[in-house]
Amino acid sequence: MSESRILFICGSLEPGKDGVGDYSRILAGEFLKKEQKIFILSLYDKTVNGIVQENQKVNKVLVPCLRISKTESFGIRRKSYLQLLETFQPQWISLQFVPYAYQKKGLPLNLYKILLLKDTSIKLHIMFHELWIYPLNFKQHLVQFLQRAIIRNLIVKLDPKLITTQIPFYQNKLNHFGRKVLPLSIFSNIYPSGSDILKPNNKAQFRIVLFSQMEPKPALILFLVRFIEILRGNKLMPEFVLLGGGRSKQEQFKLELQKVLQDDTEIKLMGFLDHLALSKEFHLADLGVTSVPRHLLGKSGSVHAFLEHHIPVACPVNEGEIELEGFFNDAYNNSVFSEANFDQFLFAQSQASKLARPDRLSPFINLLQSNSENV
């Protein structure tokens, strides 16, 4: 790959506090390892005051960042952005879009005005990590209408050279705007490490892990009750491990489980763990369980974390009876299952064990190269 200059834009860049910010930093770090010129701009940073320029370390690489506080005015945001363009002179701008990352109510009406380009030689990429909400009342219908209009404006006013998203469901929605939308799968922010970790000798123990996404939805609880019965029928002893999501969420989920289990099934609540410790917990797991609806699985970093550690994932929630697969990748689709069925688990387990470690950089590089003669 010839030298390129890429400016990534996201909402916030506080390490460990913003999933898309972490994703942007890791991706930027991979580019820097290839000796590319990279910069990250957080336009609506929730954890800094004023404007902060700094280097952030990721995988032994220092990533240059400019962080603009969420409290700054439109004028300062626009001026800082234009100054960065002038000094860094990117060939590509990669906007990592989540509506709530750029405005607390999910309505960044002025975002396209901030990002308008004076230099038409700069190419724009938009990665849509999220689109609009699923409305349950009149107020949410209005929010959804405005969020759709914001996305339409970004596409029409900024005229991106490349548009991508990570799940078929979003691709299907974005296609209605009349532009080609290409798949670009994300990856976990928890890098697999310590794969030589040995599981306990107790073969009867079956470890079920929930990570971050642990909302006690009825379909999820019903699945767990039925699956535990199946495990015991196969002379396996279930054990739950709850990771991430905050202590209060973990305790709430534990209470919901205890209500329906009515026995002494062990439920472990883990406090804050760094990436290495999280990876160890994944390696020790037999099954990952998520409350993320099936058609949205590909946007979940926690689901990717399970699969990248070769752990099958149970996904019993299906909101709106949407039949689209959760991933563009068939191997990933085959590594998840939705019904409390031991044969489905065994098949998903066999498929997950074969998953290749994802290439974090090549898919993105290939898309840039295919959409530009200069990169």
Side-chain angles (χ1 to χ4, degrees):
M1 180 183 182
S2 59
E3 183 180 279
S4 59
R5 304 178 71 86
I6 305 171
L7 171 64
F8 288 96
I9 298 177
C10 60
S12 289
L13 271 173
E14 188 67 17
K17 300 292 185 181
D18 187 282
V20 173
D22 290 343
Y23 167 84
S24 302
R25 187 185 310 102
I26 292 170
L27 192 56
E30 294 294 321
F31 270 103
L32 286 168
K33 287 180 181 179
K34 298 291 185 181
E35 299 184 347
Q36 306 303 304
K37 303 297 184 183
I38 302 295
F39 212 104
I40 308 181
L41 168 65
S42 59
L43 267 180
Y44 195 78
D45 208 293
K46 298 176 178 63
T47 54
V48 297
N49 295 316
I51 300 173
V52 176
Q53 185 162 344
E54 64 184 17
N55 292 320
Q56 293 191 352
K57 192 172 184 179
V58 57
N59 296 328
K60 301 179 181 179
V61 176
L62 292 177
V63 181
C65 306
L66 182 69
R67 304 171 67 181
I68 303 176
S69 171
K70 65 178 183 179
T71 61
E72 294 296 341
S73 67
F74 169 86
I76 290 177
R77 225 178 294 279
R78 171 71 174 166
K79 180 180 178 182
S80 300
Y81 169 68
L82 292 177
Q83 287 176 340
L84 181 56
L85 294 186
E86 185 176 343
T87 56
F88 182 61
Q89 296 185 340
Q91 296 166 309
W92 277 93
I93 293 173
S94 180
L95 173 65
Q96 306 294 310
F97 182 79
V98 178
Y100 291 89
Y102 299 101
Q103 205 272 340
K104 64 180 179 180
K105 295 182 179 180
L107 300 173
L109 297 168
N110 290 324
L111 182 59
Y112 82 91
K113 294 181 181 178
I114 295 173
L115 299 178
L116 281 171
L117 293 168
K118 295 180 178 179
D119 183 351
T120 56
S121 69
I122 301 174
K123 300 170 185 67
L124 176 66
H125 160 235
I126 304 180
M127 172 64 173
F128 285 102
H129 290 270
E130 291 183 6
L131 300 183
W132 44 81
I133 63 170
Y134 184 82
L136 299 175
N137 54 47
F138 175 77
K139 182 179 179 180
Q140 290 181 355
H141 272 284
L142 179 59
V143 171
Q144 183 198 57
F145 174 82
L146 291 173
Q147 288 177 332
R148 284 175 59 92
I150 288 166
I151 288 173
R152 185 185 300 110
N153 261 349
L154 284 174
I155 293 172
V156 172
K157 303 287 188 182
L158 299 181
D159 190 26
K161 182 79 172 178
L162 174 64
I163 302 174
T164 60
T165 193
Q166 76 281 60
I167 55 174
F169 180 70
Y170 286 169
Q171 185 186 47
N172 188 48
K173 295 293 183 184
L174 289 166
N175 281 339
H176 293 298
F177 294 120
R179 293 288 300 272
K180 186 176 183 180
V181 180
L182 298 175
L184 179 60
S185 297
I186 63 168
F187 47 77
S188 168
N189 297 334
I190 311 298
Y191 196 79
S193 57
S195 57
D196 57 341
I197 294 170
L198 297 177
K199 291 188 177 184
N201 290 328
N202 185 358
K203 295 181 180 179
Q205 187 181 64
F206 190 96
R207 201 167 219 236
I208 301 172
V209 175
L210 291 97
F211 174 45
S212 184
Q213 304 287 348
M214 57 184 73
E215 187 178 345
K217 296 180 179 179
L220 177 60
I221 298 298
L222 180 61
F223 169 88
L224 291 174
V225 170
R226 290 176 174 173
F227 196 71
I228 287 171
E229 291 176 358
I230 292 170
L231 290 176
R232 288 179 174 148
N234 284 272
K235 298 183 179 180
L236 294 170
M237 182 173 63
E239 172 192 71
F240 285 93
V241 178
L242 309 185
L243 303 171
R247 191 73 179 186
S248 61
K249 264 190 177 183
Q250 291 182 3
E251 290 175 348
Q252 180 189 359
F253 196 86
K254 180 178 179 178
L255 287 174
E256 293 298 324
L257 275 180
Q258 288 173 328
K259 287 178 187 176
V260 295
L261 296 180
Q262 298 180 340
D263 60 18
D264 58 353
T265 301
E266 187 171 8
I267 305 173
K268 294 181 178 179
L269 308 187
M270 308 299 284
F272 173 80
L273 299 177
D274 62 23
H275 284 197
L276 285 175
L278 282 171
S279 183
K280 178 181 176 180
E281 293 297 329
F282 291 137
H283 281 301
L284 293 172
D286 295 293
L287 175 66
V289 179
T290 183
S291 60
V292 174
R294 292 200 290 272
H295 64 287
L296 301 178
L297 290 176
K299 68 181 285 294
S300 168
S302 59
V303 172
H304 279 273
F306 286 127
L307 296 177
E308 290 176 25
H309 285 80
H310 305 294
I311 304 304
V313 177
C315 49
V317 178
N318 187 19
E319 294 179 351
E321 300 302 316
I322 297 169
E323 297 301 325
L324 287 171
E325 299 279 16
F327 302 93
F328 289 109
N329 185 328
D330 287 338
Y332 275 36
N333 287 322
N334 291 334
S335 301
V336 303
F337 67 106
S338 58
E339 297 178 13
N341 180 295
F342 203 65
D343 287 336
Q344 283 192 14
F345 160 72
L346 290 175
F347 177 75
Q349 183 185 53
S350 70
Q351 299 301 301
S353 68
K354 303 172 188 174
L355 290 175
R357 178 168 289 183
D359 185 334
R360 295 182 165 191
L361 199 56
S362 293
F364 192 54
I365 290 175
N366 292 339
L367 286 173
L368 294 185
Q369 289 179 331
S370 63
N371 285 273
S372 173
E373 297 177 355
N374 301 319
V375 177

